[in-house]
Amino acid sequence: MIRSRIVGTGSYLPEKVLTNEELEKIVDTTDEWILTRTGIRERRITANGEASSTLATNAARRALDMAGVSPEELDIIVVGTVTPDMFFPSVGCLVQDALGAKKAVAFDLSAGCSGFVYGLSVADNFLKNGQYKKALVVGTENLSKVTDYQDRGTCVLLGDGSGAVVLVAEEGHQGILSTHLHSDGSYKDLLFQPGGGSRVPPTYESIDERLHYLKMDGNKLFKIAVKSLEDVVLEAIAHNNIKDSDIDLLIPHQANLRIIQAIAKRLNLPEEKVFVNIHKYGNTSSASIPIALDEANRAGRIQEDNLLLLNAFGAGLTWGSALVRW
Ligand code: COA
């Protein structure tokens, strides 16, 4: 049976660190509030001119290096992002050009914080059906550029960064065992960027009204996130006929430490089986899972044949999972 195996991971975080203490000087908040409500201590912020494609290209190079795959060998590049450099061309095409991945088909997909898991699923299907052999999947975000630093309800949560994986189609028992994706557009108003698109094109008024910044109803999202993230984990467990205890490492979307802990508790997963790095980077949307995966991989937290479960949730709403035999 042909499966998509992850043969390289990479991540890239911008240099500038924005701490909770620095945010205390910008909005009415405290380090204590942020830490106890979210688990976040600091996040990374891009410099001016540093775009989502810049971060993505750096993360991709690291993943390709680890994989020993050259850009020319790539058949497909899928990029999950809600903060592209511009509406078009896609970040995928910009990354393709920067890498020199001449034969790869490249595109973006918009699935909020689930963008990486969606991308993994799309690439996996192309590899499994035999159309392509080598894929690059990236999650990349430059959220600081759409964050309202007058809105304490969102600006303390978000950060910038990028993560990538290289997949190859191989016969064997290792690789992506399943992906499950879900969407519910009826929750479109819980997390969105109202201005700047074709509905509310950028005008002086839309900028004055701060419509180009993302808006979020965190409280409502919190409850739906816990339920959806738990549901997709149970779905993956049932579909693959495994037990909670078979999971060696859960790599969840890093939106809020309390959400992660609630899911770990419901699944009876001990702390050491749940990867957490939200304290360093905040919520980096579609980049959070591939950054976490890369850190776990490079830290030696993943052994051959380990069973990894990735679960994501984000704007759309969207949610999904990927079960991977390493
Ligand atoms: N600093 C201090 N106080 C803050 C604050 C901040 N940064 N942000 C909000 N508050 C205040 C609120 O104004 C509110 O005050 P009030 O009670 O006087 O009205 C109080 O804290 C509680 O706000 P609430 O929104 O109920 O807090 P919460 O416990 O739900 O935590 C989030 C807020 C955003 C951290 C939490 O809801 C969350 O993480 N939600 C999920 C977000 C998410 O996953 N988003 C992305 C999906 S991928």
Side-chain angles (χ1 to χ4, degrees):
M1 176 167 190
I2 294 179
R3 293 193 196 281
S4 317
R5 197 156 78 82
I6 298 176
V7 292
T9 61
S11 57
Y12 180 81
L13 281 307
E15 268 176 38
K16 185 177 164 31
V17 176
L18 179 63
T19 63
N20 291 351
E21 289 75 14
E22 286 169 284
L23 280 168
E24 285 178 354
K25 295 178 196 141
I26 304 173
V27 283
D28 180 16
T29 192
T30 59
D31 172 47
E32 202 259 331
W33 191 96
I34 303 171
L35 198 55
T36 53
R37 297 290 179 117
T38 72
I40 302 167
R41 288 181 188 278
E42 58 188 41
R43 67 288 292 139
R44 299 298 182 90
I45 302 294
T46 48
N48 282 336
E50 203 173 17
S52 287
S53 69
T54 327
L55 308 178
T57 303
N58 287 329
R61 285 205 174 105
R62 290 175 182 175
L64 287 163
D65 272 358
M66 183 188 286
V69 168
S70 74
E72 297 79 17
E73 293 174 71
L74 290 173
D75 300 303
I76 176 169
I77 298 174
V78 187
V79 177
T81 186
V82 291
T83 50
D85 295 32
M86 51 197 121
F87 280 135
F88 57 88
S90 66
V91 174
C93 284
L94 301 177
V95 170
Q96 182 218 27
D97 180 49
L99 292 175
K102 292 211 180 308
K103 76 168 178 185
V105 56
F107 58 92
D108 294 356
L109 57 82
S110 170
C113 303
S114 310
F116 177 75
V117 169
Y118 267 58
L120 210 54
S121 183
V122 168
D124 177 42
N125 278 293
F126 274 117
L127 265 52
K128 274 194 312 205
N129 79 15
Q131 189 167 352
Y132 297 128
K133 300 266 180 277
K134 289 184 179 154
L136 174 71
V137 181
V138 187
T140 190
E141 300 292 1
N142 204 353
L143 292 167
S144 61
K145 300 295 190 281
V146 296
T147 296
D148 186 348
Y149 287 95
Q150 292 181 12
D151 175 11
R152 68 177 183 174
T154 54
C155 74
V156 302
L157 305 173
L158 307 169
D160 301 333
S162 187
V165 299
V166 175
L167 298 173
V168 296
E170 274 183 13
E171 288 279 348
H173 70 288
Q174 291 166 326
I176 297 174
L177 303 185
S178 70
T179 60
H180 289 93
L181 307 180
H182 300 275
S183 315
D184 187 345
S186 68
Y187 290 116
K188 58 192 177 296
D189 296 335
L190 294 187
L191 181 53
F192 68 123
Q193 188 185 348
S198 60
R199 185 185 295 256
V200 183
T203 57
Y204 290 114
E205 290 74 27
S206 77
I207 304 274
D208 286 345
E209 289 169 30
R210 312 181 81 71
L211 297 180
H212 56 299
Y213 291 130
L214 71 81
K215 316 286 174 201
M216 187 177 87
D217 185 336
N219 204 272
K220 280 200 187 128
L221 276 176
F222 191 98
K223 291 167 199 139
I224 304 171
V226 173
K227 171 90 175 65
S228 310
L229 285 165
E230 186 193 352
D231 285 352
V232 281
V233 169
L234 296 177
E235 182 182 32
I237 286 173
H239 177 87
N240 291 282
N241 207 12
I242 57 169
K243 302 186 292 294
D244 306 357
S245 55
D246 293 330
I247 298 168
D248 294 299
L249 192 62
L250 178 71
I251 304 194
H253 171 46
Q254 313 278 314
N256 186 313
L257 183 59
R258 290 186 291 138
I259 296 179
I260 297 172
Q261 286 169 338
I263 291 151
K265 195 167 162 206
R266 287 189 194 185
L267 297 169
N268 290 316
L269 285 178
E271 227 173 76
E272 65 274 11
K273 285 192 168 189
V274 182
F275 194 84
V276 174
N277 64 3
I278 191 170
H279 51 290
K280 295 190 288 185
Y281 308 130
N283 180 350
T284 57
S285 188
S286 69
S288 91
I289 289 178
I291 293 171
L293 179 62
D294 183 47
E295 288 201 342
N297 190 19
R298 286 175 196 264
R301 292 270 305 264
I302 310 175
Q303 306 304 319
E304 193 164 349
D305 281 334
N306 273 179
L307 207 48
L308 310 188
L309 187 54
L310 322 181
N311 64 342
F313 172 85
L317 294 177
T318 59
W319 60 105
S321 73
L323 188 72
V324 180
R325 173 75 65 195
W326 199 254

